[in-house]
Amino acid sequence: MSTSAARAWVEIDLPAIDRNVGRIKQALPPHVRYVAVVKANAYGHGMPEVATRLLQAGVDCFAVANVAEAAILREIGHDADILLLSPTLPTELARAVALGLDITLNSLAEAQALAALVRGRDRRAKVHVKVDTGMGRAGVWHEQAAELFAFVLAEPGLEWRGVYTHFSDADHDQAFTAEQRATFLRLLETIPAAARAGLLIHADNSAGLESFSAAAPFNAVRVGLMQYGLPPSAGSFLASLRPEPVLSFHARVVLVKDLPAGTAVSYNRTKVLSRPSRVAIVAVGYGDGVPTAASNRGHFLVRGMRCPILGRVTMDQTIVDVTDVPAVAVGDVVTILGAQGGDRITVAEFCAWSDCIPWEALCTLTQRVQRVYRTDRT
Ligand SMILES: *Cc1c(COP(=O)(O)O)cnc(C)c1O
């Protein structure tokens, strides 16, 4: 698709995905399976296109949040393994089995419901058991995990394929992450060796890769943020892999005008112009994914220059100060995230003035923003 008619769009640099996956795979021992996390529309990048590219780049399988997301992957013909990361509702289990998904079990009740569903059928349900080692969210609490392991092992309708945990603080606290890892490793010891040998054993998200140990029994990683080109924290080993941002975010100037000093700009008059100013109205707002927190704080790039946001970000439009930018015209491309001229707005910067985290900045890009896929470097 051409961007010439678009008001607001994101460009997805598909070759950057190839390079990111290549670097991550190189950093991992060859036996470790790469579970590509493509939930939330592939972190806003567009699931069908990105998933297809990830497979071509050599990932082994997918993880999504729920059955509806998994169904999209099946509809476009991917028969790779798909792991459901969130608990599945009882009403969704039949569809999950029919789609051949790897269902995450978080409780004995869930396991019993699934076992009852497949009993007497010729199809077994594929399951991973998720253990809560300190996240306090999904997963069976670790003190009850052995009971769930035993149930799954004894139930012929359940095909036990994996066991995993999830870190709550891998991007901040290596000591707590190590504790979670140790709790999980102790629990693995309670699984009979024969059963354990066939399991996919995984714990690491992008930030977890920081402390990934090839010596441990882990044989898979679940990679989200890193494959989209964002290290979970700066200055880490992960940043040294030099992931490349895949997505950039742009919109067009739809109006340019001169306003006298003293004019209040946008809703609630939070900004009063201190000088006669030239302003550009940009066709992007919180209806597209620019949070109102960026009001009077963020900058957009126009003609390669940083232009401060004036006043409130509104649903459809944001106003920037272009007084010092020569020759701004209707139709000019404005960059909200990514490079323009010699400058770049990073996701980290965008997050700082928007009070959000990188995952959130990507996921909150709305459907109104067109996705444009670049298959080669331009
Ligand atoms: C989203 C998610 C991931 C991916 O996390 P990143 O930080 O984006 O790499 C991994 N595991 C689980 C359980 C998740 O929910």
Side-chain angles (χ1 to χ4, degrees):
M1 192 207 309
S2 157
T3 56
S4 58
R7 294 170 70 88
W9 68 98
V10 294
E11 274 178 36
I12 315 293
D13 181 2
L14 292 172
I17 291 182
D18 305 343
R19 292 188 290 272
N20 290 339
V21 170
R23 286 176 188 134
I24 296 163
K25 281 175 65 119
Q26 246 177 11
L28 294 169
H31 73 279
V32 173
R33 301 240 299 169
Y34 186 130
V35 183
V37 181
V38 293
K39 61 193 178 188
N41 196 28
Y43 290 41
H45 292 60
M47 174 134 77
E49 292 82 357
V50 167
T52 300
R53 192 73 181 208
L54 284 165
L55 268 189
Q56 288 166 358
V59 308
D60 296 294
C61 51
F62 295 119
V64 296
N66 57 47
V67 180
E69 291 181 339
I72 294 172
L73 287 173
R74 288 289 186 250
E75 272 160 28
I76 59 173
H78 291 311
D79 56 10
D81 291 337
I82 305 172
L83 173 64
L84 297 176
L85 294 171
S86 301
T88 303
L89 285 166
T91 48
E92 296 172 320
L93 285 174
R95 187 159 181 232
V97 174
L99 288 168
L101 307 179
D102 284 77
I103 299 166
T104 288
L105 296 179
N106 304 270
S107 70
L108 194 56
E110 240 182 347
Q112 286 165 338
L114 185 58
L117 181 86
V118 294
R119 204 162 287 144
R121 297 214 202 158
D122 55 2
R123 185 155 199 177
R124 297 171 81 199
K126 299 189 272 189
V127 299
H128 286 227
V129 176
K130 186 175 200 165
V131 183
D132 181 353
T133 56
M135 172 74 182
R137 191 181 63 176
V140 62
W141 181 244
H142 60 88
E143 288 163 0
Q144 280 106 50
E147 184 189 11
L148 181 52
F149 292 165
F151 179 86
V152 172
L153 265 179
E155 194 55 55
L158 302 183
E159 181 188 346
W160 194 8
R161 311 222 311 161
V163 59
Y164 70 105
T165 192
H166 190 50
F167 297 133
S168 67
D169 216 3
D171 50 348
H172 288 109
D173 189 336
Q174 294 307 312
F176 188 72
T177 304
E179 267 179 52
Q180 281 194 271
R181 207 184 275 283
T183 303
F184 184 61
L185 289 173
R186 275 196 305 276
L187 264 175
L188 292 178
E189 298 297 323
T190 69
I191 303 171
R196 206 176 62 191
L199 294 179
L200 214 58
I201 299 174
H202 47 115
D204 295 277
N205 53 358
S206 294
L209 292 173
E210 191 75 50
S211 59
F212 184 79
S213 165
F218 298 102
N219 54 20
V221 293
R222 305 184 303 273
V223 187
L225 198 66
M226 271 286 281
Q227 70 195 358
Y228 304 104
L230 304 177
S233 53
S236 71
F237 142 76
L238 296 170
S240 75
L241 290 181
R242 290 184 300 110
E244 296 172 45
V246 172
L247 176 149
S248 61
F249 183 13
H250 314 271
R252 276 184 203 286
V253 172
V254 289
L255 183 68
V256 181
K257 66 181 176 187
D258 296 316
L259 292 173
T263 307
V265 176
S266 195
Y267 287 125
N268 306 125
R269 298 178 293 150
T270 60
K271 174 72 186 180
V272 176
L273 298 175
S274 58
R275 58 173 181 174
S277 303
R278 176 159 291 174
V279 301
I281 317 304
V282 184
V284 74
Y286 63 80
D288 304 280
V290 179
T292 55
S295 305
N296 287 315
R297 289 167 80 193
H299 292 75
F300 293 167
L301 298 175
V302 186
R303 297 202 170 225
M305 291 178 69
R306 269 173 192 249
C307 301
I309 294 175
L310 297 172
R312 287 278 162 85
V313 172
T314 72
M315 189 186 292
D316 311 314
Q317 292 151 87
T318 301
I319 302 131
V320 291
D321 184 354
V322 293
T323 311
D324 301 322
V325 187
V328 174
V330 167
D332 278 1
V333 174
V334 176
T335 296
I336 298 125
L337 269 178
Q340 192 192 100
D343 207 347
R344 166 183 288 277
I345 310 247
T346 64
V347 171
E349 233 181 311
F350 179 89
C351 289
W353 62 52
S354 304
D355 292 334
C356 71
I357 57 174
W359 298 261
E360 186 183 1
L362 299 174
C363 288
T364 48
L365 294 167
T366 66
Q367 272 203 314
R368 183 162 74 179
V369 182
Q370 291 182 34
R371 268 68 175 171
V372 180
Y373 295 91
R374 299 267 175 249
T375 50
D376 288 299
R377 275 244 136 133
T378 48

